[in-house]
Amino acid sequence: MEMTLSRFGLDNIKGNLARGLMPVGILVLVAMMVLPLPVIMLDTFFVLNIVTSLLILMVALHTNRPLDFSSFPSLLLIATVLRLGLNVASTRVVLGEGHNGPDAAGKMIEAFGAFVIAGNYAVGIFVFVILVIINLVVITRGAGRISEVSARFTLDAMPGKQMAIDADLNAGVLDNEEAKRRRADIAAEADFYGAMDGASKFVKGDAIAAILILIINIVGGLIIGLSQHDLPVGIAAQNYILLSIGDGLVAQIPSLMLAIATAIIVTRVSSSQDMAEHIGSQVNLSRAWFPVAGVLLLLGLIPGMPSMLFLPAAVVGAYIGYRAMQREKLATEGEGAEAEEAYQADHGSEQVTLGDIVDNAPVSLQLGYGLIDLVGSEESGPLISRITGIRRQVSRSLGFVLPAVRVRDDLNLPANRYRIRVGQKIVGEDQVYTDKFLAIPGDDVRVKLDGIEVRDPSFGMEAVWIEAHMKTDAEARGYVVVTPESVIATHLSQMLYKFADELIGQDDVQHLCDNLAETSPSLVQSVVPKLVPLHQLTAILRTLLSERMPISDLRQILENLAELSTRKLSIADTAEALRPGLASLQIQQIAPLNSPLPVITLSADMEQMMISMVRQNGEGELILENNFATRLLTNIAEVNDEMTAQNKQAVMVVSPAIRRPLAGIIRQHIDDIIVLSFNELPDTRKVDVVATINGETDQS
């Protein structure tokens, strides 16, 4: 049977019918406005209109959050067009057949006209006008204003919500799939409220159209009845006014239900409960119902008041309050029992789990309780956004995706202290003040500011924590003023660069290879793991990253490794052999392409002496005498500080023979200096020698 259906393209009849039903329905609505309808079809469509409006109202009442009914704006448009089409069709029937009597336009219009107004035209007109006023002035106008404000505030809140999602993703609270879903919800929410802002205008326009259609039916009917059918004035008024009011009421009642549904949707707050449960849970309070019962009792005891109404109402109110009090008591006892169980679980048990003592986060930032405000109530504070930006920047600079930074509070820390961990190792720690700014003096600053004198945790520069009102004055005096979250973020950035080699693992390297395999599959397959095992490639990349050498050009790394694999080099020697091909990536991050690269060099005598020491050692190590090493490092540090003050990166260029051992010595004492060899400088790159270290107490 399935094969037969597939052969004729009929295997998805249900789906095809569902997709084709909507376009056909829209065409029918348009046809209603143009083609005359039989009375029986008109009555059928009137019933369908009432059912549709009632269904939409019930769905709106039982929706937990507005996005659960995201198709509401489209349904509102379709229902409005249906009702307007019925108005056009009924107007044609009323004006064309109204002279035949009150039943000429069908049973629905006759029933609404006769039953609701009971033969009193004035009452019917007033009832219709009141319904229109309620719909237009009260419900529709309020819903339209709420839709407008909700759309505006939803759009304004989108960047903050996106940042909050990024923060949660960065902190490891969310996975990628959940983050994608939340981003989609935010976009859908903005689209929904934007659509509702426009859809509410449909309801307003529909109410205005109802008044105009009523006037047209009455005036047009009287003119047609008197001029074309020679009806007496009384009979013409009886027929056409009855039919017009009936037509208006049979259309206005569904319109009122749709207006109520619109107001419910735009005023709905996202909750796990539907509207009835949500309101009931908040209104059913004993402390609210007992005063109500008391007031009703006092009103019932006042002479002249309808005691037979107030006193029973007071009894009902007191009963509801009593039931609410019983429910609250049970809830309180349940919460107490849960709290006791939680306490016993936390304090009564002697068991200690692995999760209590081990934190597997690759990078974590621990904050004292005084710094919690930097994170925000939903981990969307200024610090989180800075961390997200830094993580993205460092990842782009180094060439691999850094792991998420876990941010958490630590009550064991002093209030204003923070701590940076890489794995289980503490790599950075300092103190900031959330109500102050860190002022770092410039080169020409001569005036000291009052405050807490410290050293910048990132670069070790003298600084002072100042009050917030001193910020403008400090900037005017030449100080660089930094926010507390920027201090922490910059310190974290330094640690990420410094310990990048510890943050990349075999899984990360495999991910890099898989990504490259999409464009160069043969290269990856021929090198990893045939020539270079994954663990060995990881060790080589870690060696490069230990000196901030970017690994973003993995294609070139693998191509060079294919050539080096025959030389049986060690990990360190392999990484050193790869550096000349990668150094340009590092250099372009230090200085723009058209700007000269500021470099520090060694004097010829000192460099030759170090080369001799390396060769004499025989193991490629550089062992310096203590006093000589101290003078050397002091001079390098002084030049590095000067360049840092000028916002420049210090780069030291030496002979290839001593680059690696000298870089190892310098890296132990000066974190942010980069050591290159002469053969790592591109031939076309201009350099500017800013200092020459001679090993004495001064340098030129």
Side-chain angles (χ1 to χ4, degrees):
M1 182 64 180
E2 293 181 359
M3 294 180 61
T4 304
L5 292 175
S6 299
R7 186 179 303 170
F8 292 98
L10 301 176
D11 53 333
N12 194 18
I13 297 177
K14 185 177 179 180
N16 293 331
L17 288 176
R19 286 191 294 270
L21 185 60
M22 186 62 68
V24 172
I26 297 298
L27 293 176
V28 170
L29 295 181
V30 176
M32 288 169 52
M33 301 182 184
V34 181
L35 304 176
L37 288 181
V39 174
I40 183 64
M41 289 190 65
L42 189 62
D43 286 342
T44 302
F45 279 119
F46 273 132
V47 174
L48 177 63
N49 185 26
I50 295 174
V51 171
T52 302
S53 302
L54 187 59
L55 176 63
I56 293 175
L57 177 59
M58 292 297 104
V59 173
L61 286 171
H62 293 87
T63 298
N64 294 341
R65 59 188 190 121
L67 283 183
D68 292 342
F69 200 7
S70 58
S71 61
F72 179 77
S74 300
L75 284 177
L76 183 62
L77 172 61
I78 295 173
T80 303
V81 174
L82 171 62
R83 190 164 54 256
L84 293 176
L86 286 174
N87 284 331
V88 175
S90 62
T91 297
R92 184 184 294 109
V93 174
V94 168
L95 297 181
E97 305 293 336
H99 61 281
N100 295 324
D103 60 347
K107 296 297 182 181
M108 290 292 295
I109 293 178
E110 180 187 12
F112 271 83
F115 178 75
V116 177
I117 67 177
N120 192 327
Y121 306 131
V123 173
I125 293 174
F126 290 143
V127 170
F128 177 81
V129 171
I130 290 173
L131 288 177
V132 172
I133 291 174
I134 293 174
N135 189 356
L136 181 62
V137 179
V138 181
I139 301 175
T140 303
R141 178 176 293 182
R145 180 58 178 166
I146 293 174
S147 299
E148 180 183 349
V149 174
S150 298
R152 183 183 305 168
F153 279 95
T154 300
L155 291 174
D156 291 342
M158 277 190 68
K161 292 180 179 179
Q162 294 285 3
M163 291 176 61
I165 294 173
D166 291 340
D168 289 343
L169 182 63
N170 183 56
V173 179
L174 303 177
D175 56 17
N176 290 329
E177 293 300 323
E178 180 66 16
K180 289 180 181 179
R181 188 190 65 79
R182 291 196 181 185
R183 291 191 185 99
D185 285 347
I186 291 174
E189 185 182 21
D191 294 340
F192 174 79
Y193 282 108
M196 283 301 304
D197 186 23
S200 61
K201 305 297 189 298
F202 300 150
V203 182
K204 180 180 180 181
D206 183 36
I208 296 174
I211 298 176
L212 298 177
I213 292 172
L214 177 68
I215 296 173
I216 292 172
N217 284 344
I218 293 176
V219 176
L222 292 175
I223 294 174
I224 293 173
L226 296 175
S227 62
Q228 296 184 6
H229 302 289
D230 298 325
L231 296 177
V233 176
I235 296 177
Q238 180 179 0
N239 291 345
Y240 288 104
I241 293 178
L242 179 66
L243 291 173
S244 298
I245 295 174
D247 178 35
L249 290 175
V250 78
Q252 194 59 34
I253 291 176
S255 176
L256 183 61
M257 288 191 291
L258 281 182
I260 295 173
T262 303
I264 290 173
I265 287 293
V266 297
T267 57
R268 190 78 172 92
V269 177
S270 296
S271 170
S272 60
Q273 304 169 312
D274 62 25
M275 187 174 182
E277 294 174 342
H278 191 200
I279 294 176
S281 63
Q282 298 184 356
V283 173
N284 195 12
L285 300 174
S286 61
R287 58 183 181 274
W289 281 102
F290 283 137
V292 169
V295 172
L296 291 174
L297 178 62
L298 291 176
L299 291 174
L301 297 177
I302 297 176
M305 288 289 183
S307 302
M308 297 302 296
L309 296 177
F310 281 112
L311 294 179
V315 173
V316 172
Y319 176 75
I320 296 174
Y322 173 76
R323 294 298 302 267
M325 184 177 65
Q326 294 294 110
R327 192 192 69 257
E328 293 167 0
K329 184 179 180 180
L330 291 175
T332 303
E333 292 176 353
E335 292 176 358
E338 293 178 0
E340 181 66 21
E341 292 177 0
Y343 180 84
Q344 292 296 333
D346 293 339
H347 300 85
S349 177
E350 297 295 332
Q351 296 181 357
V352 179
T353 63
L354 188 62
D356 297 330
I357 59 175
V358 177
D359 183 5
N360 293 320
V363 186
S364 60
L365 175 62
Q366 299 169 282
L367 304 175
Y369 66 87
L371 306 180
I372 301 301
D373 291 341
L374 297 178
V375 177
S377 58
E378 298 181 357
E379 298 191 354
S380 59
L383 179 59
I384 295 297
S385 60
R386 291 293 184 98
I387 292 175
T388 302
I390 283 173
R391 181 170 170 244
R392 184 180 294 110
Q393 177 185 350
V394 177
S395 298
R396 187 183 296 113
S397 175
L398 296 178
F400 76 100
V401 179
L402 289 172
V405 180
R406 181 178 180 181
V407 182
R408 62 179 184 174
D409 61 317
D410 190 344
L411 298 180
N412 293 323
L413 289 176
N416 297 315
R417 201 156 190 85
Y418 68 89
R419 178 179 293 162
I420 302 172
R421 287 179 180 266
V422 173
Q424 302 298 313
K425 180 172 60 178
I426 301 174
V427 298
E429 189 174 8
D430 214 293
Q431 190 161 287
V432 299
Y433 303 89
T434 58
D435 58 342
K436 296 180 174 61
F437 290 89
L438 185 66
I440 303 173
D443 293 335
D444 300 329
V445 173
R446 297 292 182 265
V447 180
K448 282 192 173 184
L449 299 176
D450 294 331
I452 304 174
E453 296 183 358
V454 294
R455 284 192 174 273
D456 171 43
S458 301
F459 306 104
M461 303 174 62
E462 293 183 357
V464 57
W465 285 100
I466 61 174
E467 301 293 336
H469 65 85
M470 300 171 60
K471 178 176 180 293
T472 304
D473 181 60
E475 291 176 338
R477 296 178 182 272
Y479 281 82
V480 178
V481 182
V482 186
T483 60
E485 61 269 17
S486 297
V487 175
I488 299 176
T490 305
H491 194 187
L492 176 64
S493 174
Q494 293 290 324
M495 296 301 101
L496 291 177
Y497 276 114
K498 184 177 181 180
F499 296 95
D501 58 317
E502 300 183 21
L503 299 176
I504 188 171
Q506 294 190 25
D507 292 335
D508 303 303
V509 177
Q510 184 63 60
H511 180 69
L512 293 175
C513 293
D514 294 340
N515 185 61
L516 180 61
E518 296 178 1
T519 56
S520 304
S522 299
L523 174 63
V524 177
Q525 292 175 5
S526 63
V527 177
V528 184
K530 292 183 178 180
L531 299 178
V532 183
L534 182 62
H535 71 276
Q536 188 175 341
L537 176 60
T538 304
I540 294 171
L541 297 182
R542 282 177 172 172
T543 304
L544 293 171
L545 288 170
S546 66
E547 297 191 51
R548 301 191 184 184
M549 182 64 71
I551 58 172
S552 52
D553 194 355
L554 189 61
R555 178 199 299 271
Q556 182 176 353
I557 293 175
L558 295 186
E559 290 176 348
N560 292 338
L561 283 176
E563 300 177 2
L564 295 172
S565 61
T566 59
R567 297 169 56 180
K568 306 299 181 181
L569 300 175
S570 65
I571 299 295
D573 291 337
T574 303
E576 195 70 18
L578 292 172
R579 287 181 56 90
L582 304 173
S584 58
L585 299 175
Q586 190 176 40
I587 292 172
Q588 69 186 16
Q589 296 177 4
I590 299 172
L593 185 62
N594 298 323
S595 300
L597 178 67
V599 301
I600 306 170
T601 62
L602 298 176
S603 65
D605 295 340
M606 176 178 289
E607 190 167 45
Q608 192 60 44
M609 180 188 65
M610 290 184 181
I611 293 173
S612 301
M613 294 174 65
V614 170
R615 291 174 178 174
Q616 291 174 5
N617 186 278
E619 298 180 357
E621 296 182 359
L622 181 61
I623 302 176
L624 302 178
E625 190 267 331
N626 287 337
N627 293 333
F628 177 80
T630 302
R631 292 196 303 271
L632 174 65
L633 293 172
T634 301
N635 291 340
I636 296 175
E638 290 176 355
V639 177
N640 183 41
D641 292 340
E642 292 177 3
M643 298 187 67
T644 302
Q646 300 173 18
N647 199 25
K648 294 181 180 179
Q649 173 67 56
V651 179
M652 194 166 186
V653 181
V654 297
S655 171
I658 62 173
R659 193 214 68 80
R660 189 170 65 188
L662 181 60
I665 294 174
I666 294 176
R667 194 164 59 249
Q668 295 177 6
H669 301 85
I670 308 173
D671 294 336
D672 56 342
I673 195 168
I674 294 174
V675 183
L676 303 176
S677 65
F678 291 119
N679 62 350
E680 293 174 358
L681 293 176
D683 296 335
T684 58
R685 188 73 189 209
K686 296 181 180 179
V687 298
D688 178 20
V689 180
V690 296
T692 300
I693 307 298
N694 55 27
E696 304 297 332
T697 56
D698 58 349
Q699 66 275 346
S700 58

